[in-house]
Amino acid sequence: MPELPEVETVRRGLAPALVGATIALVELRRHDLRLPFPERFAARLQGRRILELRRRAKYLIADLDDAQSLIMHLGMSGSFRIDDETPGAFRRENGKKSAAHDHVVFHIDHGKRIVYNDPRRFGCMLLVATDEIGADKRFRDLGVEPLSDALDVPFLAGAFQGRAAPVKALLLDQRLIAGLGNIYVCEALHRAHISPLRAAGSLVTAGGRPKAPLARLPQAIKDVLSDALRAGGSSLRDHRQIDGSLGYFQHSFRVYGREGAACPTPGCKGTIARVVQSGRSTFYCPACQR
DNA sequence: CTGTGTTCCTGTTCGC
DNA sequence: TGCGAACAGGAACACA
């Protein structure tokens, strides 16, 4: 369930249960996800206290009291839930099905279990020295946080200038902006009325100045992410938030998954189209996104 | 360096 | 109802 708003929602849900708590025991139910778990993963976590739970891009980072950090990525289908340790008080309503892909169980000293479930196993968990995270190859090249002041019009103008790739491809590139994924890129481009197919460089003048549509893009990105965050993220399928409730931003999608629907832009008579760009679905309105 | 395509894995949905 | 194909929120890697 994982673009920036979903990962941040997970972080906020887990933080009260994890920050300041101690990991009593870790159950590893397989030796790898997308990557092998680190050597002695469970042993190295046992007895560690969690000082802080942070997010960078789509990564969750738990800083531990031994100067190491547990880094977690949810991939495409990863999720966390919090269970009571009490043997009888088993999972909530839709029980056994989810247990099939419970790969990691963190037993916390206050008597709860944090369970990581990931059917497709595209997620990963790593252990890295806290002060070396910035130098790690996964983090070294990450771009700006889209909700930070670093994402502004001049930044995008500089990044887009001279680039022939479609603007959608650049927005998905984590080395430029870190945290956007397929849904929110489609949604942001619709809000900015920019065609996802347009060459990124065509949004900048020869002199390197942003053209009018580009001037709308950073705010459109921030708006859609803030709106999604406020809604607790998007729950495709039956993905749940930590507390079991559903994020509801999927009801606010203007284009994603809405092929054939009327464009929601006021006054626009267009119909949402679906095309494939570098192997992934793009949804947009050919009438008001140019 | 740039841009595109493939791959990892399982589950769900869609069309016949 | 059954069955195969298409598709799914990510990102690393191979290749032209």
Side-chain angles (χ1 to χ4, degrees):
Chain A
M1 48 187 290
E3 295 182 41
L4 186 153
E6 291 73 40
V7 177
E8 177 61 21
T9 298
V10 169
R11 190 195 69 76
R12 293 175 186 180
L14 287 179
L18 286 185
V19 177
T22 297
I23 301 169
L25 182 74
V26 177
E27 267 180 78
L28 255 198
R29 301 196 173 162
R30 51 178 303 127
H31 76 284
D32 66 351
L33 295 171
R34 192 170 129 70
L35 303 171
F37 285 96
E39 293 284 311
R40 302 178 49 250
F41 182 72
R44 288 166 69 185
L45 289 175
Q46 187 170 347
R48 299 278 57 81
R49 196 163 67 90
I50 295 168
L51 305 178
E52 192 61 78
L53 185 63
R54 303 180 280 143
R55 180 193 57 74
R56 169 73 169 117
K58 300 171 194 170
Y59 291 91
L60 289 170
I61 303 170
D63 297 322
L64 309 175
D65 63 356
D66 62 350
Q68 299 284 304
S69 292
L70 168 61
I71 295 173
M72 299 169 280
H73 195 292
L74 304 177
M76 203 80 125
S77 60
S79 64
F80 282 98
R81 68 171 193 276
I82 301 179
D83 280 355
D84 286 324
E85 196 73 75
T86 332
F90 237 25
R91 19 197 134 277
R92 28 161 194 275
E93 63 260 35
N94 56 351
K96 47 219 160 163
K97 221 178 127 190
S98 57
H101 300 289
D102 290 349
H103 304 309
V104 189
V105 183
F106 300 92
H107 296 257
I108 307 302
D109 62 344
H110 51 47
K112 297 216 163 129
R113 301 180 303 192
I114 312 296
V115 183
Y116 179 70
N117 182 284
D118 188 354
R120 292 177 74 179
R121 305 202 303 273
F122 286 171
C124 65
M125 293 196 188
L126 313 164
L127 280 168
V128 174
T130 305
D131 62 9
E132 287 171 13
I133 293 175
D136 185 278
K137 68 176 197 286
R138 288 179 183 72
F139 288 81
R140 196 179 43 210
D141 300 324
L142 283 178
V144 300
E145 282 288 327
L147 287 171
S148 75
D149 292 341
L151 176 65
D152 59 13
V153 177
F155 172 79
L156 285 187
F160 287 0
Q161 188 171 22
R163 299 295 298 270
V167 58
K168 188 203 180 195
L170 291 199
L171 294 181
L172 279 174
D173 188 341
Q174 303 298 299
R175 294 168 300 185
L176 234 202
I177 305 175
L180 296 181
N182 204 33
I183 292 178
Y184 295 105
V185 165
C186 289
E187 293 295 316
L189 286 169
H190 181 262
R191 290 182 184 218
H193 304 302
I194 296 170
S195 168
L197 307 174
R198 187 165 171 175
S202 78
L203 291 160
V204 183
T205 68
R209 314 290 304 175
K211 295 186 185 174
L214 179 53
R216 294 190 294 264
L217 188 52
Q219 195 57 50
I221 291 168
K222 291 170 200 278
D223 285 347
V224 72
L225 294 178
S226 313
D227 289 353
L229 226 27
R230 205 170 309 120
S234 303
S235 304
L236 270 55
R237 305 255 157 84
D238 61 348
H239 269 300
R240 281 162 189 282
Q241 306 307 326
I242 299 298
D243 66 359
S245 67
L246 291 164
Y248 52 88
F249 189 71
Q250 66 277 13
H251 303 302
S252 300
F253 290 166
R254 298 184 188 180
V255 291
Y256 187 83
R258 304 191 66 241
E259 182 182 15
C263 176
T265 299
C268 180
K269 299 276 198 282
T271 301
I272 305 306
R274 172 182 173 275
V275 296
V276 174
Q277 289 181 283
S278 48
R280 313 195 62 190
S281 288
T282 293
F283 297 91
Y284 75 112
C285 172
C288 69
Q289 292 180 254
R290 314 302 307 197

